[in-house]
């Protein structure tokens, strides 16, 4: 750099003595055209100087211009010459200043036309613009020309040096800004310093001081009111110049830090720090700080300026908020620099120099910087300041005097240090808490004030009461500055965080400081104070003043509504904790003296914090447990008052909770519920009082729903056992009904999606009825609503604003704590003549329920009662003495259902009125269990209400697409068919309606299965997973389970169930009436395939076969004859395929006695045939083959063959078409094997069902299966389920039970009708080997493979679905006594039952199904059903049968559909036909539909189609299948 500067000094122009400039243009123009480039800067150093060349050129007007332009064409040279000439002309000194400025701009816009020589000529022409005495305007011309020249791409070092020297010519202060801008331009913002780098730095450092001084002077003039236009302009120019100078210096530092030597660096830093000290302008400070920041990052602060720099940066850090981050960034850079130790030393030396005067800002800044460094260390990992370097001067009490400012700064630093974990560890290690407390006190008060108070604080040492100074006059600290108070709070909070790690003596010393500061503590620090009081055991009941301490806390925080709410919570928790420690009567008395006045003094109606009200209610309820009777009643009144206040808070200004759990557990009425649960086992009288209070809360309709709901949750869970002992069930088990009113998570989500898709009010009821997530019974979703009834105009809840529901399933536990496991030994349901003081009257609760149903108010309350009432009604013993109210409830429910006068849900809930009806119908179903209490007319009304609901359905055409309704209806019809007393009086048209329903479901099921197979994406009918399980915590199918998988398989189940219902109904009607229905059923069994052809599917064929066998016969099943094999003489046997049957004829050839076996899909008929051979008349001429013409001793003649019998029974001489010819089967091993395979297929569908007895207190699988005895009630259930049968030698399918060696017991129970058979696996009837098989694996091998199990739950606990882990258990049917027999704990003897026979006769049972989570519920018992034991068995068996049917469908869903026994038999017959059919005989089942029946006469042609082993005309196949048409009707029995 220096060399370049020295070399470039020869390029400076020398003055022309004459003042004229000459330019040898001729020589310039005559340069050889071959020169292809201008001389480079290096070449120029050897050529004549620019000055010499200028001297040799005469630019006088008229001189010859011969300027050769290298590498240019002549034409272009002429253009460039014109440009140069014009530029020189404009820049000539004789031109006006404006023209010369235009010339400078002209040069810039045409710079490509100028060579370096021409550019030199331009500079020479404008030399006067770069002189020191030139005017500002002329200097600006020069700067403009420089800007234009810098656009030239060929400038060399010489030219750049010349331009630099032209720029730095001294100029008036008002023009310095332009000068610095020109320097920034020529250096490209400090990036290019060649060849004048150090000269530039020297120039810039020399300008810092003068420019800033000029700026200060200008600002003084402005402030002195002597400001004229020039002064203002000068001040503005200097301000801009200083900013430009700051910016350029920063750029140079960042781009070329090596260009600045040590001297220049010291000068610049010194001047910058001086500027920072002198200026008050934030803009100046920011510019100066940017230079300091650049220096600290790329260089270093000179040692002589380091401390001053640290002090200045600290002062800016605490004095200028806007520059705080920038100043701290500089300090961080210094801390990371090579001067790290000197920087830290400077900080600490400055921070702890207690100097008065203006330097105090430096002290404050240094302290603040230290604190900030320590806090920032967690994120940037700064070098650690040695704590000895901080701690010792920080707590050096020898330093005096200490100014008030210093003490404030000290507090700030100490507070910041206390948040640094490592510093905390250091002071914990030093353990000099007395010094710390003294120094803190010194920071609060001066040495000459409050010394006595301070001394008292520091010398007090009692640990059993508050420090004595606080019991006297409270110190006045209001004069402290806000910042000081804030710092003191920081100290309190920090020391509170490490409180447990401080020694006990030191804790007390620190606590004295805390309590001394109590009136200035923030909310957080107050919490620290209260926590310290607790930690010091100052509230623990002892001989000290713990009650005084409690009283002061109550006065300070509880009785002051403006106190911090969290601190109030802490005090309340302290009160509750102290309550748990009360042992002595004296302690209780002293505690009462604090708590009861507090509760009476609180101005309840001024409290507006919901959380506080809930907390104090919890305290009141907890204290009530040990309070005296008078106080107990008073506390109940206060709790009711609190409920009113909380309700008003919720209505006026609803408060939100962070989560639902917090809300559910902190309501005032929850405290009353908790009190009830605790009193239930301790005091009957108090339980009765709380019960009455809860009733009153529910009755108070002005209370918010959130207050009433907790009381409802308890009241709906009340139950009693067989001895009327009250208990509370933890699970209400109302998931199914909750889904009906959109109160499950799944239904709520689906409903919200549904609402987002459009306005629900525009949808029809049948659309909303099929919504996923709704409960389904026969009645639900078919109810039609009157549009007028849904428009409850003026009703307060018909509002459009949507509020989130306040209760959901599955949600939080309904109770705030687990209820007692056992029924209460103290509290019973009220019974006439019993002691009144130990009973509660459930009639009062039932009366309130009836009131809510009659005059409903809030939807939250009404919907909760709707959902939970049926479950509670499943405990009739609970209402055994409330018959008048049960009657009234029946009347209300029946009248509302009949008249449609029940509540219309708010429109915003998305719930339809039919959903409400569904819940009421469930209540009515439960009331049916109370039938003995009702008169016959009342029972009839209940039935009419049910029928009215059924008649309110949409027609079958609409509900046919609702899968869940299809299941319910078909299951209902299947059960009804087995109740002959009910259907015996049905008319023919009513029976045909049943068949029509089945046919319609078959049609819809076929359509759904076709769509499913085709994968069309058509939406399948939605199915609802109803509630399941006695316990809500297990076994219930999740509503979020794979519904599509369930839907995909439901059509198969409906298909099988529809055929099942059709079959059992056909067999249930009178024999004389059966042929009347054959034609209609037959005509509707066909369906069309994808080609449009009618198809008679396998199930239709076997159904037709069943009707063929039973339309005229009701004798029952036939059995093989054992005597026929003993016949004398030869016996011949032959079999034929006759249509879709196999006929076997076995004939004794001597006498013609024939044994007929006809094997069909639906059964096998065994019969005996023999012609009645007449004796020969006397005049008959005997022939040689006559049967009676045998000689004595001759061999018996063969008089008849099976073929004759077959022809006699099946044929005439009428021609038989080939397709209809019976097929004679060969008598070979293959045929015999095929027939034997056919015979192994049973004629009924067999199912196996487990029946398991769960004894008292049993919950584990092994102990349950180990039962070898069971109760009498269980025995009665078994007797109702089926018949006790012996296993050894059984001729029926025992479904895996041993029938040879009694290894599975000697007997079991079984049930059978004409189409189905159930064998029950009863573990308690099987042998138990506890030693050899403790896990009862043998029994589990049967139970674990049963799809369906019936659980007789006598344990007293909810039965969990996974009690018997198995991949095959799909459905559990739980039958449970509605009233437990007493205690559940092992070893506790249940309360005696006075009359055992009354127990069995009057005991009601609940029936409910549990399903595997992936499995849908398929019975009406998905929700509770209540009935006596004598009626329970039939319902349970029917549920088990339906569940077994579906389980078989479900189990085979992966490998295809489930094939029934009849269909298997049909397939075996078809296999034989396929193998032995005559040539030309088809086994096709395709045929066209028939519109009528044609009559044929002799000679008419006939063209038919082979169908099912027969032949029918093309247009009459359906009628041809109607065998009743030609078989004729049954004889009339009239």
């Amino acid at each position: 750099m220096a060399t370049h500067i020295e070399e470039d000094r020869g390029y400076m122009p020398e003055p022309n003595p004459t003042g004229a400039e000459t330019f040898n243009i001729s020589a310039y123009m005559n340069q050889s055209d071959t020169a292809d480039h201008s001389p480079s800067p290096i070449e120029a150093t050897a050529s004549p100087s620019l000055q010499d060349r200028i001297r040799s050129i005469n630019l006088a007007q008229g001189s010859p211009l011969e300027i050769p332009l290298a590498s240019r064409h002549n034409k272009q040279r002429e253009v460039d010459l014109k440009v140069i000439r014009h530029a020189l002309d404009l820049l000539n000194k004789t031109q006006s200043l404006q023209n010369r400025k235009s010339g400078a701009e002209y040069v810039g816009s045409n710079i490509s036309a100028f060579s370096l020589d021409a550019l030199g000529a331009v500079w020479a022409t404008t030399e006067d613009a770069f002189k020191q005495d030139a005017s500002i305007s002329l200097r600006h011309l020069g700067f403009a020309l420089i800007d234009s020249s810098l656009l030239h791409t060929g400038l060399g070092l010489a030219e750049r040096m010349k331009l630099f020297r032209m720029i730095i010519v001294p100029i008036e202060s008002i023009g310095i800004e332009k000068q610095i801008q020109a320097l920034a331009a020529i250096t490209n913002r400090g990036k290019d310093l060649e060849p004048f780098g150090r000269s530039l730095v020297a120039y810039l450092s020399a300008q810092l001081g003068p420019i800033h001084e000029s700026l200060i002077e200008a600002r003084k003039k402005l402030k002195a009111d002597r400001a004229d236009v020039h002064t203002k302009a000068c001040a503005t120019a200097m301000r801009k110049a200083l900013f430009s100078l700051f910016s350029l210096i920063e750029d140079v530092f960042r781009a070329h830090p090596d260009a600045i030597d040590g001297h220049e660096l010291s000068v610049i830093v010194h001047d910058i720090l001086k500027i920072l000290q002198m200026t008050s302008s934030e803009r100046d400070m920011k510019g100066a700080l940017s230079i300091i920041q650049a220096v600290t990052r790329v260089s270093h602060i000179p040692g002589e300026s380091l401390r001053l720099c640290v002090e200045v940066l600290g002062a800016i850090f605490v004095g200028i908020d806007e520059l705080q981050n920038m100043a701290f960034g500089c300090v961080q850079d210094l801390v990371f620099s090579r001067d790290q130790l000197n920087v830290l030393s400077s900080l600490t030396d400055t921070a702890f120099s207690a100097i008065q005067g203006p330097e105090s800002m430096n002290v404050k800044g240094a302290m603040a910087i230290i604190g900030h460094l320590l806090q920032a260390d967690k994120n940037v990992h700064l070098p650690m300041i040695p704590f000895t370097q901080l701690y010792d001067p920080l707590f050096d009490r020898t330093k005096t005097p200490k100014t008030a400012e210093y003490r404030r700064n000290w507090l700030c630093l100490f507070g910041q240090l206390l948040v640094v974990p490592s510093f905390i560890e250091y002071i914990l290690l030093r353990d000099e808490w007395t010094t710390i407390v003294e120094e803190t006190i010194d920071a609060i008060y001066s040495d000459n004030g409050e010394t006595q108070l301070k001394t008292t604080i520091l010398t007090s040492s009692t640990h059993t009461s508050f420090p004595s100074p606080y019991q006297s006059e409270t110190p006045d600290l209001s004069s402290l500055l806000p910042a000081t108070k804030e710092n003191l709070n920081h100290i309190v909070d920090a020391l509170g965080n490490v409180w447990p790690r401080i020694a006990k003596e030191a804790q007390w010393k620190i606590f004295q400081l805390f309590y001394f500061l109590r009136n200035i503590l923030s909310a957080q620090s107050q919490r620290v104070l209260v926590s310290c009081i607790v930690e010091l055991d100052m509230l623990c009941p002892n001989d000290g003043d713990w009650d005084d301490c409690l009283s002061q806390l109550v006065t300070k925080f509880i009785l002051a509504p403006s106190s911090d709410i969290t601190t109030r919570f802490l005090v309340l928790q302290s009160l509750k904790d102290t309550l748990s420690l009360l042992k002595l009567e004296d302690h209780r008395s002293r505690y009462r003296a604090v708590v009861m006045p507090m509760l009476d003094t609180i101005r309840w109606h001024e409290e507006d914090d919901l959380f506080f009200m809930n907390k104090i209610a919890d305290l009141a309820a907890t204290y009530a447990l040990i309070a005296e009777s008078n106080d107990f009643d008073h506390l109940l009144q206060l709790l009711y008052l609190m409920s009113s206040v909380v309700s008003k808070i919720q209505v006026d200004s609803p408060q939100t909770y962070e989560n639902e759990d917090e809300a559910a557990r902190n309501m005032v009425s929850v405290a009353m519920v908790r009190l009830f649960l605790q009193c239930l086992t301790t005091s009957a009288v108090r339980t009765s009082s709380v019960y009455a209070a809860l009733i009153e809360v529910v009755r108070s309709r002005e209370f918010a729903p959130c207050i009433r709901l907790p009381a409802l949750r308890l009241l709906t869970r009340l139950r009693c056992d067989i001895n009327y002992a009250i208990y509370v069930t933890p699970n209400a088990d109302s998931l199914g009904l909750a889904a009906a009113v959109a109160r499950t998570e799944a239904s709520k989500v689906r409903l919200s999606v549904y609402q987002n898709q459009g306005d629900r009010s525009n949808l029809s009821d049948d659309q909303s009825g099929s919504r996923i997530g709704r409960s389904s019974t026969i009645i639900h979703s078919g109810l039609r609503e009157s549009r007028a009834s849904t428009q409850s105009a003026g009703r307060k809840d018909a509002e459009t604003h949507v509020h989130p529901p306040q209760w959901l399933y599955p949600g939080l536990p309904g109770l705030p704590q687990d209820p007692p496991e056992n029924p209460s030994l103290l509290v019973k349901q009220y019974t006439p003549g019993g002691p009144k003081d130990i009973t509660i009257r459930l009639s009062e609760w039932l009366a309130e329920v009836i009131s809510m149903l009659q005059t409903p108010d809030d939807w939250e309350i009404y919907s909760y009662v709707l959902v939970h009432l049926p479950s509670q009604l499943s405990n009739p013993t609970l209402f055994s003495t409330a018959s008048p109210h049960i009657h009234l409830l029946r009347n209300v429910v029946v009248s509302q259902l009949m008249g449609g006068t029940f509540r219309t849900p708010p429109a915003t809930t998305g719930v339809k009125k039919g959903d409400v009806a569904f819940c009421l119908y469930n209540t009515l179903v439960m009331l049916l269990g109370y039938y003995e209490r009702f008169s016959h007319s009342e029972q009839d009304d209940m039935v009419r209400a049910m029928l009215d609901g059924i008649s309110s359905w949409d027609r079958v055409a609409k509900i046919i697409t609702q899968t869940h309704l299809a299941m319910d209806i078909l299951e209902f019809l299947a059960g009804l068919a087995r109740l002959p007393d009910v259907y015996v009086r049905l008319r023919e048209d009513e029976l045909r309606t049943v068949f029509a329903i089945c046919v319609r479901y078959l049609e819809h099921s076929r359509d759904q299965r076709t769509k499913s197979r085709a994968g069309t994406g058509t939406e399948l009918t939605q199915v609802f997973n109803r509630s399941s399980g006695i316990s809500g915590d297990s076994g219930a199918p999740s509503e979020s389970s794979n519904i599509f998988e369930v839907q995909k398989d439901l059509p198969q189940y409906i298909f099988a169930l529809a055929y099942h219902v059709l079959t059992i109904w056909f067999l249930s009607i009178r024999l004389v009436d059966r042929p009347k229905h054959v034609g209609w059923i037959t005509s509707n069994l066909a369906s069309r395939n994808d080609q449009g052809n009618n198809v008679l599917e396998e199930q239709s064929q076997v159904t037709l076969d069943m009707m063929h066998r039973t339309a005229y016969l009701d004798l029952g099943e036939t059995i093989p004859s054992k005597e026929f094999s003993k016949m004398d003489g030869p016996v011949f046997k032959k079999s034929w395929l006759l249509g879709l049957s196999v006929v076997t004829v076995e004939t004794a050839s001597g006498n013609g006695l024939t044994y007929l076996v006809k094997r069909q899909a639906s059964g096998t008929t065994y019969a005996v045939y023999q012609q009645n051979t007449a004796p020969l008349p006397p005049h008959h001429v005997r022939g040689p083959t006559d049967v009676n013409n045998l000689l004595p001793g001759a061999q018996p003649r063969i008089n008849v063959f099976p073929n004759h019998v077959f022809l006699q029974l099946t044929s005439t001489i009428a021609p038989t078409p080939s397709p209809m010819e019976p097929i004679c089967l060969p008598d070979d091993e293959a045929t015999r094997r095929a027939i034997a395979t056919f015979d192994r297929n049973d004629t009924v569908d067999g199912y196996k069902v487990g029946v398991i007895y769960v004894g008292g207190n049993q919950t584990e699988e092994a102990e349950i299966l180990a039962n070898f005895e069971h109760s009498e009630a269980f025995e009665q259930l078994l007797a109702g389920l089926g018949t006790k049968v012996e296993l050894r030698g059984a001729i029926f399918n025992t479904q895996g039970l041993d029938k040879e060696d009694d290894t599975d017991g000697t007997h079991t129970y079984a049930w059978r009708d004409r189409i189905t058979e159930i064998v029950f696996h009863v573990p308690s009837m099987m042998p138990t080997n506890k030693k050899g098989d403790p896990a009862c694996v043998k029994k589990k091998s049967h139970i674990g493979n049963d799809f369906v199990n019936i659980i007789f739950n006598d344990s007293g606990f909810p039965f969990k679905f996974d009690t018997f882990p198995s991949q095959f258990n799909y459905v559990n049917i739980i039958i449970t006594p509605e009233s437990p027999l007493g205690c559940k704990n092992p070893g506790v003897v249940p309360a005696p039952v006075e009359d055992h026979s009354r127990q069995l006769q009057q005991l009601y049972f609940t029936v409910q199904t549990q399903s595997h989570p992936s499995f849908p519920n398929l019975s009406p018992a998905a929700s509770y059903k209540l009935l006596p034991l004598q009626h329970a068995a039939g319902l349970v068996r029917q549920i088990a049968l339906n569940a077994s049917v579906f389980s078989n469908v479900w189990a085979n869903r992966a490998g295809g559909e489930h094939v029934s026994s009849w269909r298997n038999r049909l397939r075996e017959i078809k296999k034989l036909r396929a193998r032995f059919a005559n040539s030309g005989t088809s086994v096709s089942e395709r045929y066209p539909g028939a519109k009528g029946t044609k009559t044929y006469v002799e000679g008419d042609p006939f063209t038919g189609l082979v169908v099912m082993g027969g032949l029918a005309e093309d247009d009459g196949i359906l009628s041809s299948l109607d065998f009743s048409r030609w078989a004729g009707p049954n004889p009339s029995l009239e």
Side-chain angles (χ1 to χ4, degrees), residues 611-626:
F611 302 92
F612 174 75
M613 294 296 297
N614 294 332
K615 293 286 186 182
I616 202 166
D618 180 62
L619 173 66
T622 304
Y623 177 63
L625 292 172
I626 65 169

Side-chain angles (χ1 to χ4, degrees), residues 469-488:
Y470 309 137
Q471 297 174 356
S472 57
E473 183 178 355
T474 302
D476 182 13
L477 303 179
S478 59
S479 61
L480 294 177
L481 294 176
T484 301
K485 295 179 181 178
E486 181 179 356
N487 291 328
L488 287 170

Side-chain angles (χ1 to χ4, degrees), residues 111 250 545 1081 1205:
I111 193 67
E250 179 185 2
D545 299 328
I1081 296 173
V1205 178

Side-chain angles (χ1 to χ4, degrees), residues 990-1003:
E990 292 171 329
L991 289 172
R992 186 162 295 176
T993 300
V994 174
F995 296 135
I997 292 174
C998 296
V999 168
R1000 294 301 300 274
Y1001 278 127
L1002 287 175
E1003 293 172 353

